[in-house]
Amino acid sequence: MQTIVQTVARTLAEEMRRDDRVVVMGEDVGKRGGVFLATEGLFDQFGPDRVMDTPLSEAAIIGAAVGMAVHGLRPVAEIQFADYIFPGFDQLVSQAAKLRYRSGGIFHAPMVVRMPAGGGVKGGHHHSQNPESHFIHTPGLKVVYPSTPTDIKGLLKTAIRDEDPVIFMEPKRLYRAIKEDVPEDIEFTIPLGQAKVLRQGTDLVLISYGGSMAETSKAAEELAKQQISAELIDLRSLMPWDKETVLKSVARLGRVVLVSESPHTLNFMSEVSATICEEILDSLLAPPIRVTGFDTPYPYAQDREYLPGPNRILRAVQKVLEY
Amino acid sequence: MIADTQNFKPFNPDPIAVLSQSGDWIAPFALTLDDETLKTIYKHMLAARLLDERFIKLQRSGKMSFVAPHSGHEAPQVAAAHAISKGTDWLFPYYRDYAMTLALGQSVLEILAQTTGSRLDTAKARQMPMHPGSKTLNIFTGASAIASHIPPAVGTAISMKIRETGQAVLTSFGDGATSEGDFHAAINYAGAKGAPIVFLCENNRLAISVDFNKQTGSETIAIKAKAYGMPGYLVDGMDVLACYYVLKECVENARAGLGPSLVEAQVMRFGAHSSADDDTVYRSKEELELMRQRDPILRMRRFLEKQGLWSDKAEEKFIKETQLAFQTALDTLAEAEKVPLEWMFDDVYAELLPHLAQQKKEFLG
């Protein structure tokens, strides 16, 4: 049994043992093992050349990772909080994301940028954000946001072995909230762009990803008690995303609620909703409804209320069922 | 300022020069380059000047959308190419560096294919002109965002260091770039790591129209090196041999594990910032006239002539050959087919992701 954050450290260690090109870099990732302990034990096992404490500069971390990747390493950079990606954002957008395209494929940057993201930890607006839409809107980046230890293992391995820059978002309020047995196989991987149907249902579809999977699962359990059968999907991967699985379930049941804690406008679920409407409008029995964070900076005092919790999800379910 | 060997002292207040304006050797150490190399350095500068003039003609005739002229910057650019080990060391240039990549060995065809957006461009005509890149020559294909190539340059240098490959990186940029956060983030990291990298600032004292004294309160760029824990050298950027000796020493120090250096080459931008700029608005003809008297190509030519290595006849012959090479390349490009529409969708990722496959299919019908 292991938590998400333990799984991150163990998976990194496995990949570093498998491939000596894999290096870990970031603030406090060395002896300290990361402020969340996501790199715990790596420094002792692999030493300072492969587990590198960097200056406090996200631009330097991401930019240097690009240069290392171009030179043949497989850097896994940690950004201490997703909220601090912005000083390094230009390096992601102008360098990492566009290198393959602008060079006609002669250079590319196989690298992973890991970052704890999401609210519910009393962190205020600079320790709670979910900036995935920025990344998804940047062609050249792949984006994953798993929610369980097993998916963390399978997707982190795939991300490290991928030939493109992958943004690996980790739901930090679930870091130690879930414990499960994780496959021991060092070759256990999960392809990017593959959603997981966690629960088969007959009345409606609930779709979410990342930290919000916890509240969405709770809502599904609550519905089961009320004899309402929800099909539950964890997207896991946002770029690419698994359109087929989503469309299949939604076409079958005709009703869908989309849950994601990032701000409402241009939330990734807006894209999912638009795709559903464009491609399978005729099968819909109700308009897709998004349950999201609000279009405000992430608040401090209303830390829990901002999140799309089970009650808000249940209200949306009622709406699509009664439509 | 200059020691009696070729070991230069950092933080020199006056720019290091080894050639006088009239082309005399004024350094306290002996010239070590052989005649062929000296001639090659000159030829590279001259070819680069001719290339710049050709760029402008091509832009005016609509064959290039944009030019950032490098005339006046040839000395540090050609010197940098000669200071590094071709195909072993890595170059992270900026957008005004075609003299550098030409001198490193990029073919005229490859350069013109990029600048004219041809199907023959190795980068598949994905970027506007003035963005060199080469896999075989280890020239990192840059982005337009100023200074954004410097953090990756440092990353490559760190990779060289931790894997002990014995290579070095040279990255170049203008004075404006030193105001960007990326410059600070990168050079600071390089200093902390002792990475094998040479930072070359081609300081023409103009960021488009903004004067150097509005760019920074610092007297020079070179002096900033002190705060980053590395030597800084101020060099006469119109003296190609001074640029060469200083850069060579810095590259060798980097390879020897002595860490990074910052070189500021004081150059003069003879042209406007770009083909989209009118520099007559912010500087006078007289100013330009004075600059041109310090032309780096003339200084090197005077030196070569005094050594009996160059003549009017050699000059005429070389210009003719170079123009012919340009024409041959342009003829080849004229025969190339159009850039395929479907290239728009390739190389976003290693594989064509499903959503892009769908967009490509719908678009191409």
Side-chain angles (χ1 to χ4, degrees):
Chain A
M1 298 279 274
Q2 58 192 58
T3 62
I4 284 180
V5 75
Q6 285 167 338
T7 308
V8 172
R10 290 174 194 177
T11 307
L12 289 171
E14 279 183 19
E15 288 302 286
M16 291 177 82
R17 272 194 293 274
R18 181 190 60 85
D19 182 349
D20 62 12
R21 298 172 303 166
V22 178
V23 296
V24 164
M25 61 191 296
E27 297 156 19
D28 306 295
V29 300
K31 273 192 183 156
R32 177 72 183 84
V35 294
F36 288 100
L37 301 182
T39 58
E40 193 178 27
L42 299 181
F43 184 85
D44 290 341
Q45 284 180 70
F46 300 101
D49 280 349
R50 294 188 65 200
V51 185
M52 290 178 267
D53 273 328
T54 63
L56 202 164
S57 167
E58 291 78 9
I61 294 168
I62 294 171
V66 171
M68 290 177 191
V70 163
H71 195 246
L73 292 176
R74 295 267 165 165
V76 182
E78 175 176 300
I79 298 299
Q80 209 155 69
F81 285 83
D83 312 72
Y84 298 125
I85 192 66
F86 298 104
F89 196 56
D90 184 51
Q91 285 298 317
L92 270 186
V93 174
S94 298
Q95 290 295 338
K98 293 183 180 64
L99 181 59
R100 182 189 290 282
Y101 195 72
R102 73 167 182 261
S103 71
I106 64 174
F107 295 112
H108 67 288
M111 58 190 266
V112 178
V113 183
R114 291 182 38 247
M115 59 188 81
V121 297
K122 276 282 184 185
H125 40 264
H126 294 301
H127 294 83
S128 306
Q129 294 171 84
N130 286 280
E132 64 269 23
S133 288
H134 296 289
F135 309 134
I136 298 162
H137 204 71
T138 302
L141 300 179
K142 293 174 178 172
V143 184
V144 294
Y145 201 166
S147 70
T148 67
T150 300
D151 289 350
I152 287 277
K153 173 163 179 171
L155 285 163
L156 184 53
K157 280 180 175 273
T158 304
I160 291 169
R161 300 173 188 196
D162 198 90
E163 293 299 323
D164 289 306
V166 181
I167 307 300
F168 194 85
M169 299 179 69
E170 297 164 8
K172 67 174 170 292
R173 74 173 172 282
L174 304 185
Y175 259 168
R176 293 176 178 81
I178 313 165
K179 263 194 167 185
E180 67 178 14
D181 286 322
V182 171
E184 279 177 20
D185 183 3
I186 62 159
E187 290 304 316
F188 171 72
T189 57
I190 298 170
L192 304 187
Q194 206 174 80
K196 185 165 64 174
V197 181
L198 292 164
R199 197 183 177 117
Q200 302 279 343
T202 51
D203 296 322
L204 84 156
V205 189
L206 288 177
I207 305 177
S208 188
Y209 59 86
S212 289
M213 276 313 297
E215 291 79 17
T216 312
S217 300
K218 248 182 224 156
E221 283 161 26
E222 200 51 47
L223 288 167
K225 286 182 203 158
Q226 301 169 23
Q227 311 305 316
I228 298 168
S229 161
E231 184 141 315
L232 182 62
I233 298 178
D234 182 349
L235 287 179
R236 304 194 290 191
S237 176
L238 308 179
M239 176 53 73
W241 67 284
D242 188 352
K243 197 172 82 174
E244 280 63 40
T245 297
V246 168
L247 294 184
K248 210 172 127 197
S249 291
V250 178
R252 203 177 83 244
L253 300 181
R255 301 177 203 272
V256 59
V257 171
L258 306 156
V259 186
S260 155
E261 66 185 81
S262 67
H264 186 75
T265 303
L266 293 182
N267 185 297
F268 180 65
M269 288 306 186
S270 313
E271 177 64 26
V272 177
S273 174
T275 305
I276 291 169
C277 294
E278 277 178 12
E279 303 209 11
I280 52 165
L281 187 66
D282 289 349
S283 353
L284 289 180
L285 302 170
I289 294 189
R290 290 166 291 160
V291 187
T292 66
F294 300 105
D295 287 335
T296 65
Y298 201 103
Y300 176 74
Q302 303 85 355
D303 184 53
R304 277 282 158 182
E305 292 77 4
Y306 176 95
L307 290 172
N311 288 342
R312 280 174 58 202
I313 298 169
L314 293 175
R315 281 205 296 278
V317 168
Q318 202 176 355
K319 240 169 137 180
V320 301
L321 290 177
E322 289 171 0
Y323 182 81
Chain B
M1 175 174 71
I2 303 176
D4 52 5
T5 66
Q6 281 168 38
N7 295 316
F8 298 100
K9 248 180 95 183
F11 305 113
N12 48 301
D14 299 314
I16 296 167
V18 300
L19 292 181
S20 70
Q21 289 294 342
S22 52
D24 293 308
W25 182 257
I26 53 169
F29 58 85
L31 180 68
T32 53
L33 293 168
D34 61 45
D35 292 351
E36 270 320 298
T37 307
L38 290 168
K39 278 198 280 187
T40 305
I41 287 174
Y42 176 73
K43 285 178 184 175
H44 282 154
M45 287 207 291
L46 183 55
R49 178 65 56 85
L50 298 170
L51 180 67
D52 207 35
E53 289 165 3
R54 185 59 71 110
F55 279 165
I56 289 159
K57 276 187 198 153
L58 289 167
Q59 193 273 330
R60 289 192 180 142
S61 63
K63 292 194 173 72
M64 279 171 60
S65 65
F66 176 83
V67 183
H70 56 241
S71 290
H73 283 235
E74 292 91 346
Q77 292 190 20
V78 170
H82 283 264
I84 66 171
S85 175
K86 178 176 168 175
T88 301
D89 295 330
W90 280 63
L91 204 58
F92 286 68
Y94 79 126
Y95 58 84
R96 203 187 295 285
D97 272 337
Y98 264 123
M100 192 182 291
T101 67
L102 180 75
L104 193 67
Q106 226 190 355
S107 76
V108 168
L109 180 66
E110 207 172 311
I111 290 171
L112 289 170
Q114 195 283 317
T115 59
T116 58
S118 163
R119 190 195 170 104
L120 302 181
D121 176 19
T122 52
K124 299 190 187 158
R126 293 262 171 66
Q127 293 208 92
M128 66 188 291
M130 317 317 291
H131 291 77
S134 165
K135 184 79 179 169
T136 48
L137 295 171
N138 293 341
I139 301 171
F140 178 81
T141 311
S144 306
I146 299 298
S148 70
H149 62 300
I150 311 178
V154 170
T156 294
I158 292 171
S159 175
M160 291 167 175
K161 184 182 166 85
I162 63 182
R163 293 196 291 172
E164 298 173 349
T165 63
Q167 298 165 286
V169 173
L170 189 145
T171 182
S172 51
F173 42 86
D175 42 312
T178 64
S179 300
E180 287 281 8
D182 277 351
F183 168 76
H184 166 72
I187 195 168
N188 177 63
Y189 193 11
K193 267 282 182 190
I197 180 167
V198 180
F199 298 92
L200 168 60
C201 179
E202 298 175 31
N203 184 359
N204 60 27
R205 301 186 69 87
L206 281 173
I208 302 188
S209 70
V210 177
D211 192 80
F212 185 68
N213 61 28
K214 290 183 181 152
Q215 202 64 245
T216 176
S218 184
E219 204 175 317
T220 66
I221 298 300
I223 199 171
K224 295 184 183 218
K226 190 144 203 156
Y228 295 115
M230 64 184 77
Y233 302 93
L234 191 63
V235 187
D236 181 343
M238 309 303 260
D239 178 345
V240 67
L241 296 183
C243 292
Y244 170 78
Y245 276 108
V246 172
L247 289 170
K248 182 86 180 156
E249 186 177 305
C250 291
V251 170
E252 279 169 2
N253 286 346
R255 282 206 210 98
L258 298 176
S261 337
L262 171 62
V263 176
E264 174 185 359
Q266 295 185 319
V267 294
M268 291 169 187
R269 199 189 75 200
F270 291 166
H273 159 70
S274 75
S275 49
D277 176 36
D278 176 7
D279 60 333
T280 61
V281 176
Y282 53 84
R283 59 180 181 177
S284 67
K285 269 189 180 162
E286 293 71 34
E287 205 180 318
L288 267 175
E289 213 35 64
L290 281 172
M291 284 186 186
R292 285 196 178 271
Q293 286 171 17
R294 296 175 57 92
D295 193 322
I297 296 179
L298 289 179
R299 199 190 304 187
M300 186 60 181
R301 182 173 173 180
R302 289 184 198 118
F303 170 74
L304 288 184
E305 283 175 347
K306 285 186 178 176
Q307 312 286 313
L309 295 173
W310 201 250
S311 62
D312 285 348
K313 209 175 139 195
E315 178 100 352
E316 206 177 300
K317 183 166 171 272
F318 181 73
I319 291 174
K320 223 170 165 181
E321 285 167 5
T322 306
Q323 298 291 15
L324 185 66
F326 293 168
Q327 200 48 57
T328 308
L330 288 168
D331 290 346
T332 306
L333 293 170
E335 281 165 28
E337 283 172 39
K338 275 183 68 175
V339 178
L341 208 50
E342 59 266 31
W343 279 10
M344 180 157 68
F345 298 95
D346 300 339
D347 301 318
V348 183
Y349 301 96
E351 67 278 19
L352 191 66
L353 292 184
H355 68 294
L356 279 170
Q358 186 182 348
Q359 289 167 26
K360 184 175 180 176
K361 199 175 148 202
E362 284 172 10
F363 179 67
L364 295 174

